[in-house]
Amino acid sequence: MRFLTTVVVDTLLFVAISGFFPASFFVASVGIAAIASVVLVVLNWLVKPILTILSLPINLLTLGLFTIVINGLMLEMTAAIVGAGFRFSSFWMAMFVAILMSLVSTIIAEYFRRP
């Protein structure tokens, strides 16, 4: 259930954020956004723990802020896998989208967690 919820929320966030920043973040359709969110969930499950462990020293030095860079890398990898229908204008935009997605996902999760 958590997988499906994450995919749906990420899909909606991809579509919404691309609507606010059409020149910097391009999503061709809702279907492409759904594919991208499935790819992102799989990458976060398989690749992100390895990158987090490998970057532990720099993550400790930056007090955890390097995690934003790792999230941006995950989005860039997602864009590379999905193809032309899902792209960022720059790595900085990928990091900005990663920050927005983290904030909104946290707010949504907290809203639905309350009794």
Side-chain angles (χ1 to χ4, degrees):
M1 187 65 168
R2 181 169 157 83
F3 174 80
L4 184 61
T5 305
T6 304
V7 168
V8 169
V9 168
D10 284 352
T11 301
L12 293 174
L13 286 174
F14 283 149
V15 172
I17 294 171
S18 70
F20 282 114
F21 304 103
S24 302
F25 177 41
F26 176 72
V27 177
S29 67
V30 176
I32 295 292
I35 292 169
S37 59
V38 169
V39 169
L40 181 63
V41 168
V42 170
L43 284 175
N44 280 339
W45 186 62
L46 294 174
V47 178
K48 188 175 180 179
I50 297 168
L51 287 178
T52 303
I53 290 170
L54 290 175
S55 66
L56 190 60
I58 194 164
N59 217 347
L60 290 173
L61 285 174
T62 61
L63 302 175
L65 290 176
F66 194 73
T67 306
I68 297 169
V69 175
I70 294 173
N71 289 341
L73 283 172
M74 292 293 106
L75 285 173
E76 283 286 343
M77 280 192 241
T78 301
I81 292 170
V82 172
F86 185 83
R87 66 176 182 269
F88 298 95
S89 63
S90 67
F91 179 69
W92 295 107
M93 188 61 190
M95 284 182 34
F96 180 68
V97 170
I99 292 169
L100 283 177
M101 288 184 68
S102 296
L103 289 173
V104 174
S105 294
T106 302
I107 291 169
I108 290 172
E110 187 63 30
Y111 177 77
F112 285 113
R113 191 174 313 184
R114 295 183 185 214

